[in-house]
Coordinates of all heavy atoms in Angstrom, one line a residue:
M1 N -16.3 18.2 24.2 CA -16.1 18.0 22.8 C -17.3 17.6 22.2 O -18.0 16.7 22.7 CB -14.9 17.0 22.7 CG -14.6 16.7 21.2 SD -13.3 15.5 21.1 CE -12.8 15.7 19.5
S2 N -17.6 18.1 21.0 CA -18.8 17.8 20.3 C -18.5 17.4 18.9 O -17.6 18.0 18.2 CB -19.8 19.0 20.3 OG -20.9 18.7 19.6
I3 N -19.1 16.3 18.4 CA -18.8 15.8 17.1 C -20.0 16.3 16.2 O -21.1 16.1 16.5 CB -18.8 14.2 17.1 CG1 -17.8 13.7 18.0 CG2 -18.6 13.7 15.7 CD1 -16.3 14.0 17.6
D4 N -19.6 16.9 15.1 CA -20.6 17.3 14.1 C -20.7 16.3 13.0 O -20.0 15.3 12.9 CB -20.3 18.7 13.5 CG -18.9 18.8 12.8 OD1 -18.3 17.7 12.7 OD2 -18.6 19.8 12.3
T5 N -21.6 16.5 12.0 CA -21.8 15.5 11.0 C -20.6 15.4 10.0 O -20.3 14.3 9.5 CB -23.1 15.8 10.1 OG1 -22.9 17.1 9.6 CG2 -24.3 15.7 10.9
G6 N -19.9 16.5 9.9 CA -18.6 16.4 9.0 C -17.6 15.5 9.7 O -16.9 14.7 9.0
T7 N -17.4 15.7 11.0 CA -16.4 14.8 11.7 C -16.9 13.4 11.7 O -16.1 12.5 11.5 CB -16.2 15.4 13.1 OG1 -15.9 16.7 13.1 CG2 -15.2 14.6 13.8
A8 N -18.2 13.2 11.9 CA -18.7 11.8 11.8 C -18.5 11.2 10.5 O -18.1 10.0 10.4 CB -20.2 11.8 12.2
A9 N -18.6 11.9 9.4 CA -18.4 11.4 8.0 C -16.9 11.1 7.9 O -16.6 10.1 7.3 CB -18.8 12.5 7.0
K10 N -16.0 11.9 8.4 CA -14.6 11.7 8.3 C -14.2 10.4 9.1 O -13.4 9.6 8.6 CB -13.8 12.9 8.8 CG -12.3 12.7 8.6 CD -11.6 14.0 9.0 CE -10.1 13.8 8.7 NZ -9.3 15.0 9.1
V11 N -14.7 10.2 10.3 CA -14.5 9.0 11.1 C -15.0 7.8 10.3 O -14.3 6.8 10.3 CB -15.1 9.2 12.5 CG1 -15.0 7.8 13.2 CG2 -14.4 10.3 13.3
A12 N -16.2 7.9 9.8 CA -16.7 6.7 9.0 C -15.8 6.4 7.8 O -15.6 5.2 7.5 CB -18.1 7.1 8.6
K13 N -15.3 7.4 7.1 CA -14.4 7.2 6.0 C -13.1 6.5 6.4 O -12.7 5.6 5.8 CB -14.2 8.5 5.3 CG -13.3 8.3 4.1 CD -13.0 9.6 3.3 CE -12.1 9.3 2.2 NZ -11.7 10.6 1.5
L14 N -12.6 7.0 7.5 CA -11.3 6.5 8.0 C -11.5 5.0 8.5 O -10.6 4.2 8.4 CB -10.8 7.3 9.2 CG -10.2 8.7 8.8 CD1 -9.9 9.5 10.1 CD2 -9.0 8.5 7.9
A15 N -12.7 4.7 9.0 CA -13.0 3.4 9.5 C -13.5 2.5 8.3 O -13.8 1.3 8.5 CB -14.0 3.4 10.6
R16 N -13.6 3.1 7.2 CA -14.1 2.4 6.0 C -15.5 1.8 6.2 O -15.8 0.7 5.9 CB -13.1 1.3 5.5 CG -11.8 1.9 5.1 CD -10.8 0.8 4.7 NE -9.5 1.4 4.6 CZ -8.9 1.5 3.4 NH1 -9.5 1.2 2.3 NH2 -7.7 2.1 3.3
I17 N -16.3 2.6 6.8 CA -17.7 2.3 7.0 C -18.6 3.1 6.1 O -18.5 4.4 6.2 CB -18.1 2.5 8.5 CG1 -17.3 1.7 9.4 CG2 -19.6 2.2 8.7 CD1 -17.4 2.0 10.9
K18 N -19.4 2.5 5.3 CA -20.3 3.3 4.4 C -21.5 3.8 5.3 O -22.2 3.0 5.8 CB -20.8 2.4 3.3 CG -21.6 3.2 2.3 CD -22.0 2.3 1.1 CE -22.9 3.1 0.2 NZ -23.4 2.3 -0.9
V19 N -21.6 5.1 5.3 CA -22.8 5.7 6.0 C -23.4 6.7 5.1 O -22.8 7.5 4.5 CB -22.3 6.5 7.3 CG1 -23.4 7.1 8.0 CG2 -21.5 5.5 8.2
E20 N -24.7 6.5 4.9 CA -25.5 7.4 4.0 C -25.6 8.8 4.7 O -25.6 8.9 5.9 CB -26.9 6.8 3.8 CG -26.9 5.4 3.2 CD -26.3 5.4 1.8 OE1 -26.4 6.4 1.1 OE2 -25.8 4.4 1.4
D21 N -25.7 9.8 3.9 CA -25.8 11.2 4.4 C -26.9 11.4 5.3 O -26.8 12.1 6.3 CB -25.9 12.1 3.2 CG -24.7 12.2 2.4 OD1 -23.6 11.9 2.9 OD2 -24.8 12.7 1.2
D22 N -28.1 10.7 5.1 CA -29.2 10.9 6.1 C -29.0 10.2 7.4 O -29.7 10.5 8.4 CB -30.5 10.4 5.4 CG -30.5 8.9 5.1 OD1 -29.4 8.4 4.8 OD2 -31.6 8.3 5.1
Q23 N -28.0 9.4 7.5 CA -27.7 8.7 8.8 C -26.5 9.4 9.5 O -26.3 9.0 10.7 CB -27.3 7.2 8.5 CG -28.4 6.4 7.9 CD -27.9 5.0 7.6 OE1 -26.7 4.7 7.4 NE2 -28.9 4.1 7.5
L24 N -25.9 10.3 8.9 CA -24.8 11.0 9.6 C -25.2 11.7 10.9 O -24.4 11.7 11.9 CB -24.1 12.0 8.7 CG -23.2 11.3 7.6 CD1 -22.7 12.3 6.6 CD2 -22.0 10.6 8.3
P25 N -26.3 12.4 11.0 CA -26.7 13.1 12.2 C -26.9 12.1 13.4 O -26.4 12.3 14.5 CB -28.0 13.8 11.9 CG -28.0 14.0 10.5 CD -27.3 12.8 9.9
A26 N -27.4 10.9 13.1 CA -27.6 9.9 14.1 C -26.2 9.3 14.6 O -26.0 9.1 15.8 CB -28.5 8.8 13.6
L27 N -25.3 9.2 13.6 CA -24.0 8.7 13.9 C -23.2 9.7 14.8 O -22.6 9.4 15.8 CB -23.2 8.4 12.7 CG -21.8 7.9 12.9 CD1 -21.8 6.5 13.6 CD2 -21.1 7.7 11.5
A28 N -23.4 11.0 14.4 CA -22.7 12.1 15.2 C -23.3 12.1 16.6 O -22.5 12.2 17.6 CB -22.9 13.4 14.5
E29 N -24.6 11.9 16.8 CA -25.2 11.9 18.1 C -24.7 10.7 18.9 O -24.4 10.8 20.1 CB -26.7 11.8 18.0 CG -27.4 11.8 19.3 CD -27.1 13.1 20.2 OE1 -26.9 14.1 19.6 OE2 -27.0 12.9 21.4
E30 N -24.6 9.5 18.3 CA -24.0 8.4 19.0 C -22.6 8.6 19.4 O -22.2 8.2 20.6 CB -24.1 7.1 18.0 CG -23.6 5.9 18.7 CD -24.6 5.3 19.7 OE1 -25.8 5.7 19.7 OE2 -24.2 4.6 20.6
F31 N -21.8 9.2 18.6 CA -20.4 9.5 19.0 C -20.4 10.5 20.2 O -19.6 10.3 21.1 CB -19.6 10.2 17.8 CG -19.2 9.2 16.8 CD1 -19.0 9.7 15.5 CD2 -18.9 7.9 17.0 CE1 -18.6 8.8 14.5 CE2 -18.5 7.0 16.1 CZ -18.3 7.5 14.8
N32 N -21.3 11.5 20.2 CA -21.4 12.4 21.3 C -21.8 11.7 22.6 O -21.3 12.0 23.7 CB -22.4 13.5 20.9 CG -21.7 14.5 20.0 OD1 -20.6 14.8 20.1 ND2 -22.5 15.0 19.0
R33 N -22.7 10.7 22.5 CA -23.1 10.0 23.7 C -21.9 9.2 24.2 O -21.7 9.1 25.4 CB -24.3 9.1 23.4 CG -25.6 9.8 23.4 CD -26.8 8.9 23.5 NE -26.9 7.9 22.4 CZ -27.5 8.0 21.3 NH1 -28.2 9.1 21.0 NH2 -27.5 7.1 20.4
I34 N -21.2 8.6 23.3 CA -20.0 7.8 23.7 C -19.0 8.7 24.4 O -18.4 8.4 25.5 CB -19.4 7.1 22.5 CG1 -20.3 6.0 22.0 CG2 -18.0 6.5 22.9 CD1 -19.9 5.4 20.7
L35 N -18.7 9.9 23.8 CA -17.8 10.8 24.4 C -18.3 11.3 25.8 O -17.5 11.5 26.7 CB -17.5 12.0 23.5 CG -16.7 11.6 22.2 CD1 -16.6 12.9 21.3 CD2 -15.3 11.2 22.6
G36 N -19.6 11.5 25.9 CA -20.1 11.9 27.2 C -19.9 10.9 28.3 O -19.6 11.2 29.4
F37 N -20.1 9.6 27.9 CA -19.9 8.5 28.8 C -18.4 8.5 29.2 O -18.1 8.3 30.4 CB -20.3 7.2 28.2 CG -20.1 6.0 29.2 CD1 -20.9 5.9 30.3 CD2 -19.1 5.1 28.9 CE1 -20.7 4.8 31.1 CE2 -19.0 4.0 29.8 CZ -19.8 3.9 30.9
I38 N -17.5 8.7 28.3 CA -16.1 8.7 28.6 C -15.8 9.8 29.6 O -15.0 9.7 30.5 CB -15.2 8.7 27.3 CG1 -15.4 7.4 26.6 CG2 -13.8 9.0 27.6 CD1 -14.8 7.5 25.2
E39 N -16.4 11.0 29.4 CA -16.2 12.1 30.3 C -16.7 11.7 31.7 O -16.0 12.1 32.7 CB -16.9 13.3 29.8 CG -16.2 14.0 28.6 CD -16.9 15.1 28.0 OE1 -18.0 15.5 28.5 OE2 -16.5 15.7 27.0
Q40 N -17.8 11.0 31.8 CA -18.3 10.6 33.1 C -17.3 9.7 33.8 O -17.1 9.7 35.0 CB -19.6 9.9 32.9 CG -20.8 10.8 32.7 CD -22.1 10.0 32.6 OE1 -22.1 8.8 32.2 NE2 -23.2 10.6 32.9
L41 N -16.7 8.8 33.0 CA -15.7 7.9 33.6 C -14.5 8.6 34.1 O -13.9 8.2 35.1 CB -15.3 6.8 32.5 CG -16.3 5.8 32.1 CD1 -15.7 4.9 31.0 CD2 -16.7 4.9 33.3
G42 N -14.2 9.7 33.5 CA -13.1 10.5 34.0 C -13.3 11.2 35.3 O -12.4 11.6 36.0
E43 N -14.6 11.3 35.7 CA -14.9 11.9 37.0 C -14.9 10.9 38.1 O -15.0 11.3 39.3 CB -16.3 12.5 36.9 CG -16.4 13.7 35.8 CD -17.8 14.1 35.6 OE1 -18.8 13.6 36.2 OE2 -18.0 15.0 34.7
V44 N -14.8 9.7 37.9 CA -14.8 8.6 38.9 C -13.5 8.7 39.7 O -12.4 8.8 39.2 CB -14.9 7.2 38.3 CG1 -14.8 6.2 39.4 CG2 -16.3 7.1 37.5
D45 N -13.7 8.7 41.1 CA -12.5 8.8 42.0 C -11.9 7.4 42.1 O -12.5 6.4 42.6 CB -13.0 9.2 43.4 CG -11.8 9.3 44.3 OD1 -10.6 9.4 43.9 OD2 -12.1 9.3 45.5
V46 N -10.7 7.2 41.6 CA -10.1 5.9 41.6 C -8.8 5.9 42.5 O -8.0 5.0 42.4 CB -9.7 5.4 40.2 CG1 -10.9 5.1 39.3 CG2 -8.8 6.4 39.5
E47 N -8.8 6.9 43.3 CA -7.6 7.0 44.2 C -7.6 5.8 45.2 O -8.6 5.4 45.8 CB -7.8 8.3 45.1 CG -6.6 8.6 45.9 CD -5.4 9.1 45.1 OE1 -5.6 9.7 44.0 OE2 -4.3 8.8 45.5
G48 N -6.4 5.1 45.2 CA -6.2 4.0 46.1 C -6.8 2.7 45.5 O -6.7 1.7 46.2
V49 N -7.3 2.7 44.3 CA -7.8 1.5 43.7 C -6.7 0.8 42.9 O -6.0 1.4 42.0 CB -9.0 1.8 42.7 CG1 -9.4 0.5 42.0 CG2 -10.1 2.4 43.5
E50 N -6.4 -0.4 43.2 CA -5.3 -1.1 42.6 C -5.7 -1.5 41.2 O -6.8 -1.9 40.9 CB -4.9 -2.4 43.4 CG -4.3 -2.1 44.7 CD -2.9 -1.5 44.6 OE1 -2.2 -1.9 43.7 OE2 -2.6 -0.6 45.3
P51 N -4.8 -1.5 40.2 CA -5.1 -1.9 38.9 C -5.4 -3.4 38.9 O -4.9 -4.2 39.7 CB -3.8 -1.7 38.1 CG -3.0 -0.7 38.9 CD -3.4 -0.9 40.3
M52 N -6.3 -3.9 38.0 CA -6.7 -5.3 37.9 C -6.4 -5.8 36.5 O -6.4 -5.2 35.5 CB -8.2 -5.4 38.1 CG -8.7 -4.9 39.5 SD -10.5 -4.8 39.7 CE -11.1 -6.0 38.6
T53 N -6.1 -7.2 36.5 CA -5.9 -7.9 35.3 C -7.2 -8.7 35.0 O -7.3 -9.1 33.8 CB -4.7 -8.8 35.3 OG1 -4.9 -9.7 36.4 CG2 -3.4 -8.0 35.5
S54 N -8.0 -8.8 36.0 CA -9.2 -9.6 35.8 C -10.2 -9.3 36.9 O -9.8 -8.7 37.9 CB -8.9 -11.1 35.9 OG -10.1 -11.9 35.9
V55 N -11.5 -9.6 36.7 CA -12.4 -9.3 37.8 C -12.3 -10.3 38.9 O -12.7 -10.1 40.1 CB -13.9 -9.4 37.3 CG1 -14.1 -8.3 36.3 CG2 -14.2 -10.7 36.6
A56 N -11.7 -11.5 38.6 CA -11.4 -12.5 39.7 C -9.9 -12.3 40.0 O -9.1 -12.3 39.2 CB -11.7 -13.9 39.2
P57 N -9.6 -12.2 41.3 CA -8.2 -12.0 41.7 C -7.4 -13.3 41.3 O -7.8 -14.4 41.7 CB -8.3 -11.8 43.2 CG -9.6 -12.2 43.7 CD -10.5 -12.2 42.5
Q58 N -6.3 -13.0 40.6 CA -5.4 -14.1 40.3 C -4.0 -13.6 40.1 O -3.8 -12.5 39.8 CB -5.9 -14.8 39.0 CG -6.1 -13.9 37.8 CD -6.6 -14.6 36.6 OE1 -6.5 -15.8 36.4 NE2 -7.3 -13.8 35.8
R59 N -3.1 -14.5 40.3 CA -1.7 -14.1 40.1 C -1.3 -14.6 38.7 O -1.5 -15.8 38.3 CB -0.9 -14.8 41.2 CG 0.6 -14.4 41.2 CD 1.3 -14.9 42.4 NE 2.7 -14.8 42.3 CZ 3.4 -13.7 42.6 NH1 2.8 -12.6 42.9 NH2 4.7 -13.7 42.4
L60 N -0.6 -13.8 38.0 CA -0.1 -14.2 36.7 C 1.0 -15.2 36.8 O 1.9 -15.1 37.7 CB 0.4 -12.9 35.9 CG -0.6 -11.9 35.6 CD1 0.0 -10.7 35.0 CD2 -1.7 -12.4 34.7
K61 N 1.0 -16.2 35.9 CA 2.0 -17.2 35.9 C 3.3 -16.6 35.4 O 3.3 -15.8 34.4 CB 1.6 -18.4 35.1 CG 0.4 -19.1 35.6 CD -0.1 -20.2 34.7 CE -1.4 -20.8 35.2 NZ -1.9 -21.8 34.3
R62 N 4.4 -17.0 36.0 CA 5.7 -16.5 35.5 C 6.6 -17.7 35.1 O 6.4 -18.8 35.6 CB 6.4 -15.7 36.6 CG 5.6 -14.5 37.1 CD 6.4 -13.7 38.0 NE 5.6 -12.6 38.5 CZ 5.5 -11.4 38.0 NH1 6.2 -11.1 36.9 NH2 4.8 -10.4 38.5
R63 N 7.4 -17.4 34.1 CA 8.3 -18.4 33.7 C 9.6 -17.8 33.3 O 9.7 -16.6 33.1 CB 7.8 -19.2 32.4 CG 7.6 -18.3 31.2 CD 7.2 -19.1 30.0 NE 6.8 -18.3 28.9 CZ 7.6 -17.6 28.1 NH1 8.9 -17.7 28.3 NH2 7.2 -16.9 27.1
E64 N 10.7 -18.6 33.2 CA 12.0 -18.1 32.8 C 11.9 -17.7 31.4 O 11.3 -18.3 30.6 CB 13.0 -19.2 33.0 CG 13.3 -19.5 34.5 CD 14.0 -18.3 35.2 OE1 14.8 -17.7 34.6 OE2 13.6 -18.1 36.4
D65 N 12.6 -16.6 31.1 CA 12.6 -16.1 29.7 C 13.8 -16.7 29.0 O 14.9 -16.1 29.1 CB 12.6 -14.6 29.7 CG 12.5 -14.0 28.3 OD1 12.0 -14.7 27.4 OD2 12.8 -12.8 28.1
V66 N 13.7 -17.9 28.5 CA 14.8 -18.6 27.8 C 14.4 -19.0 26.4 O 13.2 -19.2 26.1 CB 15.2 -19.8 28.6 CG1 15.8 -19.5 30.0 CG2 14.1 -20.8 28.8
V67 N 15.4 -19.0 25.5 CA 15.1 -19.5 24.2 C 15.1 -21.0 24.2 O 16.1 -21.6 24.6 CB 16.2 -18.9 23.2 CG1 16.0 -19.5 21.8 CG2 16.2 -17.4 23.2
T68 N 14.0 -21.6 23.8 CA 13.9 -23.0 23.8 C 14.1 -23.6 22.4 O 14.2 -24.8 22.3 CB 12.5 -23.4 24.3 OG1 11.5 -22.8 23.5 CG2 12.3 -23.0 25.8
D69 N 14.0 -22.8 21.4 CA 14.2 -23.2 20.0 C 14.6 -22.0 19.2 O 14.2 -20.9 19.5 CB 12.9 -23.8 19.5 CG 13.0 -24.6 18.2 OD1 14.2 -24.9 17.9 OD2 12.1 -24.9 17.6
G70 N 15.3 -22.3 18.2 CA 15.7 -21.1 17.4 C 16.9 -21.5 16.5 O 17.3 -22.7 16.4
G71 N 17.5 -20.5 15.9 CA 18.7 -20.8 15.1 C 18.3 -21.3 13.7 O 19.1 -21.9 13.0
Y72 N 17.0 -21.0 13.3 CA 16.6 -21.5 12.0 C 16.2 -20.3 11.1 O 15.3 -20.4 10.3 CB 15.3 -22.4 12.2 CG 15.5 -23.6 13.1 CD1 14.9 -23.6 14.3 CD2 16.3 -24.6 12.7 CE1 15.1 -24.7 15.1 CE2 16.5 -25.7 13.5 CZ 15.9 -25.8 14.7 OH 16.1 -26.8 15.5
Q73 N 16.9 -19.2 11.2 CA 16.6 -18.0 10.5 C 16.5 -18.3 9.0 O 15.6 -17.9 8.3 CB 17.6 -16.9 10.8 CG 17.3 -15.6 10.1 CD 18.3 -14.6 10.4 OE1 19.5 -14.9 10.7 NE2 17.9 -13.3 10.3
D74 N 17.5 -19.0 8.4 CA 17.5 -19.3 7.0 C 16.3 -20.1 6.6 O 15.7 -19.9 5.5 CB 18.8 -20.0 6.6 CG 20.0 -19.1 6.8 OD1 19.9 -17.9 6.7 OD2 21.1 -19.7 7.0
K75 N 15.9 -21.1 7.4 CA 14.8 -22.0 7.0 C 13.5 -21.1 7.1 O 12.6 -21.2 6.2 CB 14.6 -23.1 8.0 CG 15.5 -24.3 7.8 CD 15.2 -25.3 8.8 CE 15.6 -26.7 8.4 NZ 15.2 -27.7 9.4
V76 N 13.3 -20.3 8.1 CA 12.1 -19.5 8.2 C 12.0 -18.5 7.1 O 11.0 -18.3 6.5 CB 12.1 -18.7 9.6 CG1 11.0 -17.8 9.7 CG2 12.0 -19.7 10.7
L77 N 13.1 -17.8 6.8 CA 13.1 -16.8 5.7 C 13.0 -17.4 4.3 O 12.7 -16.7 3.4 CB 14.3 -15.9 5.9 CG 14.3 -15.0 7.1 CD1 15.6 -14.2 7.1 CD2 13.1 -14.1 7.1
S78 N 13.3 -18.7 4.2 CA 13.1 -19.3 2.9 C 11.7 -19.3 2.4 O 11.4 -19.4 1.2 CB 13.7 -20.7 2.9 OG 12.9 -21.6 3.7
N79 N 10.7 -19.2 3.3 CA 9.3 -19.2 3.0 C 8.8 -17.7 2.7 O 7.7 -17.6 2.2 CB 8.5 -19.8 4.1 CG 8.7 -21.3 4.2 OD1 8.8 -21.9 3.2 ND2 8.7 -21.8 5.4
A80 N 9.6 -16.7 3.0 CA 9.2 -15.4 2.9 C 9.2 -14.9 1.4 O 10.1 -15.3 0.7 CB 10.1 -14.4 3.6
P81 N 8.1 -14.2 1.0 CA 8.1 -13.7 -0.4 C 9.2 -12.7 -0.6 O 9.8 -12.6 -1.7 CB 6.8 -13.1 -0.6 CG 6.1 -13.1 0.7 CD 6.9 -13.9 1.7
D82 N 9.6 -12.0 0.4 CA 10.7 -11.0 0.3 C 11.4 -10.9 1.6 O 10.8 -10.6 2.7 CB 10.1 -9.6 -0.1 CG 11.2 -8.6 -0.4 OD1 12.4 -9.0 -0.5 OD2 10.8 -7.4 -0.6
A83 N 12.7 -11.2 1.6 CA 13.5 -11.1 2.9 C 14.7 -10.3 2.6 O 15.4 -10.5 1.5 CB 13.9 -12.5 3.4
R84 N 15.1 -9.4 3.5 CA 16.2 -8.5 3.4 C 17.0 -8.5 4.7 O 16.4 -8.2 5.7 CB 15.8 -7.1 2.9 CG 15.1 -7.1 1.6 CD 14.8 -5.7 1.2 NE 13.8 -5.7 0.2 CZ 12.9 -4.8 0.0 NH1 12.8 -3.7 0.8 NH2 12.0 -4.9 -1.0
E85 N 18.3 -8.6 4.6 CA 19.2 -8.5 5.8 C 18.7 -9.3 7.0 O 18.8 -8.9 8.1 CB 19.3 -7.0 6.1 CG 19.8 -6.1 5.0 CD 19.8 -4.7 5.4 OE1 19.7 -4.3 6.6 OE2 20.0 -3.8 4.5
G86 N 18.2 -10.5 6.7 CA 17.8 -11.4 7.8 C 16.4 -11.1 8.4 O 16.1 -11.6 9.4
F87 N 15.6 -10.3 7.7 CA 14.3 -10.0 8.2 C 13.3 -10.1 7.1 O 13.6 -10.1 5.9 CB 14.2 -8.5 8.7 CG 15.1 -8.2 9.9 CD1 16.4 -7.7 9.6 CD2 14.7 -8.5 11.2 CE1 17.2 -7.4 10.7 CE2 15.6 -8.3 12.2 CZ 16.8 -7.7 12.0
F88 N 12.0 -10.3 7.5 CA 10.9 -10.3 6.6 C 10.8 -8.9 6.0 O 10.8 -7.9 6.8 CB 9.5 -10.7 7.2 CG 9.4 -12.1 7.5 CD1 9.7 -12.6 8.8 CD2 9.0 -13.0 6.6 CE1 9.6 -13.9 9.1 CE2 8.9 -14.4 6.9 CZ 9.2 -14.8 8.1
A89 N 10.6 -8.7 4.7 CA 10.4 -7.4 4.1 C 8.9 -7.3 3.8 O 8.4 -8.2 3.1 CB 11.2 -7.2 2.9
V90 N 8.3 -6.2 4.2 CA 6.8 -6.1 3.9 C 6.6 -4.7 3.3 O 7.4 -3.8 3.4 CB 6.0 -6.2 5.2 CG1 6.1 -7.5 5.9 CG2 6.4 -5.1 6.2
P91 N 5.5 -4.6 2.5 CA 5.3 -3.3 1.8 C 4.9 -2.2 2.9 O 4.3 -2.5 3.9 CB 4.1 -3.6 0.9 CG 3.7 -5.0 1.1 CD 4.6 -5.6 2.1
K92 N 5.2 -1.0 2.5 CA 4.9 0.1 3.4 C 3.4 0.3 3.4 O 2.8 0.3 2.3 CB 5.6 1.4 2.8 CG 5.4 2.6 3.7 CD 6.2 3.7 3.1 CE 6.0 5.0 3.9 NZ 6.8 6.1 3.4
V93 N 2.8 0.4 4.5 CA 1.3 0.6 4.6 C 0.9 1.9 5.2 O -0.3 2.3 5.1 CB 0.6 -0.6 5.4 CG1 0.8 -1.9 4.7 CG2 1.2 -0.6 6.8
V94 N 1.8 2.7 5.7 CA 1.5 4.0 6.3 C 2.3 5.0 5.6 O 3.5 4.9 5.4 CB 1.9 4.0 7.8 CG1 1.6 5.4 8.4 CG2 1.1 2.9 8.6
E95 N 1.6 6.0 5.1 CA 2.2 7.1 4.4 C 2.8 8.1 5.4 O 2.4 8.4 6.4 CB 1.2 7.8 3.5 CG 0.7 6.9 2.4 CD 1.8 6.5 1.4 OE1 2.7 7.2 1.1 OE2 1.7 5.3 1.0

């Protein structure tokens, strides 16, 4: 996959990063280097390698999943600027 300057401009716009037109070829080249590195990672043989949560072996702490506090829905929602049907109401952000 190759990124051209048009695609680099679109990515910059979506990321809300101001990039001057004369800098778009360098940005596109940087994207292409990143994608090339990702392709190299895809070639690594990971057969038999256990997934890790850290570079140092450790066991995750476990606890009982119990409710220790709650039942204050009315108090919590009293601070909300807009609450409906027992939930926080937020403006739509995705079209």
Side-chain angles (χ1 to χ4, degrees):
M1 177 177 195
S2 181
I3 303 291
D4 60 1
T5 55
T7 305
K10 185 174 181 179
V11 171
K13 181 180 178 185
L14 290 172
R16 298 178 189 251
I17 299 171
K18 184 178 180 181
V19 179
E20 300 298 331
D21 289 339
D22 62 331
Q23 296 176 338
L24 284 174
L27 181 62
E29 182 58 36
E30 183 69 23
F31 284 152
N32 285 321
R33 282 198 300 269
I34 291 169
L35 290 175
F37 181 71
I38 292 171
E39 288 175 1
Q40 283 181 335
L41 290 177
E43 297 171 2
V44 175
D45 180 21
V46 293
E47 188 69 32
V49 177
E50 292 292 321
M52 298 172 29
T53 58
S54 173
V55 293
Q58 57 183 331
R59 185 169 167 85
L60 296 175
K61 297 177 183 175
R62 300 188 185 267
R63 62 174 172 79
E64 291 293 319
D65 189 16
V66 295
V67 176
T68 57
D69 193 12
Y72 304 109
Q73 182 179 24
D74 294 333
K75 279 181 157 181
V76 171
L77 291 177
S78 69
N79 292 322
D82 189 9
R84 298 180 197 152
E85 300 176 14
F87 297 97
F88 287 98
V90 297
K92 184 177 180 179
V93 294
V94 178
E95 295 296 323

